[in-house]
Structures are given as C-alpha cells and as structure tokens.
C-alpha cells in the first residue's frame, strides 16, 4: 500500500495442470533458464468500484476479502471523510454498496476474524486496528497506542486460526531501503502487543503459509519475500531468511496471498500485475492487468473452495475489480491482507 495521503465474475484463460498443482493460463509462456516456464494470463475487468477523489487526489483499493455470504469486501485507502472507506461488491450482480466511513482513518487492509465474524481494518493514520460488523456497525478500536515506545504504521494483517493477529508495521516506506525501522507486531487475543520481528525494510504483505506454520512477509523497500518460521506458540521467530527475490523494477511489493497449494501471489504498488511463485521459490505465473490509467495491483482474493480469483487495481482511471484464474483453490490465506 502506498498513496498520496502519506503512505503505499468471469475468470479469464483456459487452464491446464502445471507442476502438479498450478493451472496453466492460456497465454504466452516465457522461458526462464533458472526457473523454467512462467505462464502469463491477462486479467478481465469485472467492474469499476471507485472514482478518484478530488479531495485526496486519487483512489486506492486494498484488502479484498470474502464474507461468508459471498460478498467481496475491500477498503479505499484514499477515501476522504464522508465517502465510503469500506465497500462491498456483489461479484455476481456487479453491484457496489458503501459499508462504512468515519472522519479520521485511512484503512489499508481488511480481513475477517477467524471466529468472531467482525471485519478488522488497519488504520494507517490512526496507528491501530479497528473492527466493524459486516453491516458496517459497532466500530471498535481493537488496538491503539505505541508498541515498545514507537507508534505503528500498520499495513496488513494475518490471523492465526486461534485469533492471534500479526500486523506489518511499515515504518520506513518513504526512506531508502537500507534504513530498516519496520517491524512485525503480534497482537494476542487479549489485545496485548509485542514486537515479533524488527529491523525490516518496510514490511507490507504478510500471510501465513497454507498450514499456518510460518509467515511470508513482503518487504516493500527490499522487493523481497522473507519466510519466518515460528515456535509452537507463535510468540517467537525461530528462523527467518530471504525466500523469494522479486523483480519489481520501478514498482515495489505490496500485499501477499497464499492458495491451498501453497502458491504465493505477490502484488505490487506502481506495477499493474501479480507475480505467482511456488512455495519452493520459482515463479510459475504472472497476471497482467490491461488498460491505461491503472498502475497498481495491490491485492487479490480467491473465492473459498474455487479458483475464481479477484484482484483490486487502481490508478488515475479509478479503482477496479478484475478477475483471473487462480493456480490453487481459495482458503483463508487467500483473502484479505
């Protein structure tokens, strides 16, 4: 995520099996001598969700996540006070509903809690986490304040099934990559926060692997995805290491998602595509976004139990939802961010 406010359906393609778990989109395959074939597909526009806001100078959709009723929720980071900051899309009827707004927040991600049914929202400006009901009611501050004496710039969320929340503190995103003030913060079910990892290059995307054993963490200012192996209680990082180096060019890594096969979907700010990697590290696919005026593809969601993929893409042309064919079925780790 990154924006000027002070931060960062029909599926397309005929698919066949690739490396035992990933479908092969209809499109060009370019050969990478080190990693093998990379299969390309082009997303299909489902609908436009937002227009650029005059007050803030743009629109930026983030955090697409499916509710149990099949609705696709998302946030608009750049929505000003009084305009919809949380939206709901009926992907079958192609209808957009406004869910929630307030006066002060800039929400950068959204994810439904694994047990309480509420939608949790990271608030970049407020430095905390807010939750609401799926109807947009009962706003509640679930975390606010400093962690180890330092205020957070919260970006993305990963939930463990037990309700423990892990949040990327994307501090340093406006600085050079060799400055590493970023952190991953753990917030337990009682709201107590602690630093799980520090000295990071502006971490952005965060998601558990398909087995909820460890975390994939995308570092915005390093164009790299690290893997954090956790202890049994998920209170400590046992090991952490660079897992995937991403070719971002002028773009930088944003949110991250995982499907049922363990494939990793890496989104970008200032690059309108999604890179898809096997959990063993090789790139197996790329989803390109067509059209002018769309310069960031920041997050995806895969409908649970299907390979119906949806991505949010934004730019001067507005904020849109596109569709694609996922490489594995959607799970909890394929939704929100």
């Amino acid at each position: 995520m990154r924006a000027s406010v002070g931060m960062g359906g029909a599926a397309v393609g005929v698919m066949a099996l690739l490396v035992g778990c990933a479908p092969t989109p209809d499109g060009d395959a370019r050969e990478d001598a080190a990693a093998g074939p990379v299969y390309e597909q082009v997303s299909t526009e489902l609908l436009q969700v937002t227009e650029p806001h005059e007050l803030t100078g743009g629109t930026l959709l983030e955090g697409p996540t499916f509710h149990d009723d099949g609705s696709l929720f998302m946030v608009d980071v750049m929505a000003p006070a009084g305009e919809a900051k949380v939206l709901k899309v009926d992907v079958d009827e192609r209808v957009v509903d406004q869910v929630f707004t307030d006066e002060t927040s800039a929400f950068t991600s959204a994810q439904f809690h694994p047990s309480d049914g509420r939608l949790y929202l990271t608030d970049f400006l407020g430095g905390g986490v807010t939750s609401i009901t799926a109807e947009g009611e009962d706003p509640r501050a679930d975390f606010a304040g400093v962690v180890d004496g330092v205020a957070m710039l919260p970006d993305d969320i990963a939930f463990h099934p037990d309700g423990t929340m892990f949040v990327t503190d994307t501090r340093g995103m406006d600085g050079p990559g060799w400055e590493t003030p970023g952190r991953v913060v753990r917030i337990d079910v009682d709201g107590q926060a602690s630093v799980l990892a520090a000295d990071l290059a502006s971490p952005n995307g965060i998601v558990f692997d398909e087995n909820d054993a460890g975390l994939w963490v995308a570092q915005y200012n390093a164009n790299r995805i690290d893997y954090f192996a956790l202890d049994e209680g998920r209170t400590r990082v046992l090991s952490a290491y660079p897992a995937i180096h991403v070719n971002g060019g002028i773009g930088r890594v944003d949110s991250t998602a995982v499907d049922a096969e363990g494939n990793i979907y890496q989104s970008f700010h200032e690059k309108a595509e999604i890179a898809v990697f096997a959990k063993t590290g090789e790139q197996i696919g790329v989803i390109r976004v067509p059209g002018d005026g769309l310069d960031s593809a920041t997050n995806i969601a895969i409908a649970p139990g299907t390979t119906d993929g949806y991505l949010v893409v934004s730019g001067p042309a507005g904020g849109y939802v596109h569709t694609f064919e996922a490489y594995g079925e959607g799970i909890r780790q394929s939704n929100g961010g």
Side-chain angles (χ1 to χ4, degrees), residues 1-8 59-60 77-78 173-174 220 269:
M1 173 285 305
R2 182 169 173 79
S4 60
V5 293
M7 311 154 259
T59 182
L60 181 61
V77 183
M78 299 182 71
M173 67 186 312
D174 288 325
Y220 177 87
H269 171 64

Side-chain angles (χ1 to χ4, degrees), residues 1-308:
M1 173 285 305
R2 182 169 173 79
S4 60
V5 293
M7 311 154 259
V12 64
V14 178
M15 314 298 289
L17 290 179
L18 171 66
V19 295
C21 63
T24 304
D26 183 23
D28 296 331
R30 59 181 175 81
E31 194 75 20
D32 184 311
V38 175
Y39 291 94
E40 300 185 3
Q41 61 175 301
V42 177
S43 65
T44 298
E45 180 185 321
L46 181 70
L47 81 166
Q48 183 170 1
V49 178
T50 56
E51 297 276 358
H53 304 283
E54 182 176 354
L55 184 62
T56 59
T59 182
L60 181 61
L61 299 180
E62 280 271 24
T65 185
F66 278 98
H67 187 255
D68 289 342
D69 68 2
S71 298
L72 184 64
F73 284 70
M74 64 197 66
V75 299
D76 183 356
V77 183
M78 299 182 71
E83 298 189 38
K85 297 184 177 184
V86 181
L87 305 106
K88 179 175 67 172
V89 174
D90 184 321
V91 297
D92 295 322
E93 299 297 328
R94 305 188 185 191
V95 173
V96 181
D97 290 321
Q98 300 182 2
V99 175
F100 181 76
T101 190
D102 64 9
E103 296 298 314
T104 60
S105 64
F107 297 130
T108 54
S109 69
Q111 190 162 151
F112 282 101
H113 193 281
S115 59
D116 73 11
R118 293 174 66 88
L119 184 66
Y120 283 67
L121 310 161
T122 48
D123 179 4
F124 189 90
L125 289 183
V129 179
T130 297
S131 68
I132 58 175
T133 67
E135 295 72 34
E137 300 172 347
D138 189 29
R140 183 180 77 197
D142 288 273
F143 176 78
V146 300
V147 182
D148 281 3
V150 180
M152 287 181 63
L153 294 178
D155 201 311
D156 282 10
I157 295 174
F159 275 112
H160 187 267
D162 68 4
T164 306
M165 181 167 37
F166 298 83
V167 181
T168 48
D169 179 4
T170 192
R171 299 185 66 83
M173 67 186 312
D174 288 325
W178 57 81
E179 296 178 358
T180 56
R183 305 179 294 179
V184 171
V185 172
R186 179 187 187 273
I187 303 174
D188 66 23
V189 294
D190 297 321
Q192 299 299 310
S194 59
V195 176
L196 183 77
D199 301 318
L200 304 178
S202 187
N204 191 309
I206 185 169
V207 63
F208 272 97
D209 61 25
E210 75 279 16
N211 298 316
D212 294 306
L215 290 165
W216 299 103
V217 179
Q219 299 199 50
Y220 177 87
N221 269 348
N223 270 342
R224 189 182 77 225
I225 307 169
D226 290 355
Y227 185 76
F228 292 0
L230 306 180
D231 69 346
E232 187 174 351
R234 293 163 299 281
T235 61
R236 186 166 57 93
V237 177
L238 297 178
S239 65
Y241 47 86
I244 299 169
H245 293 272
V246 181
N247 294 324
I250 62 169
R252 284 181 275 188
V253 294
D254 204 283
S255 297
T256 313
V258 165
D259 66 24
E261 304 295 340
N263 300 313
I264 303 145
Y265 298 73
Q266 184 54 57
S267 306
F268 292 92
H269 171 64
E270 296 182 346
K271 187 175 184 179
E273 68 179 48
I274 308 294
V276 187
F277 300 91
K279 60 186 175 183
T280 46
E282 63 270 24
Q283 186 172 351
I284 60 173
V286 61
I287 304 152
R288 303 197 188 280
V289 176
D292 297 327
L294 299 173
D295 55 23
S296 293
T298 57
N299 210 334
I300 70 148
I302 306 171
T306 78
T307 57
D308 298 334

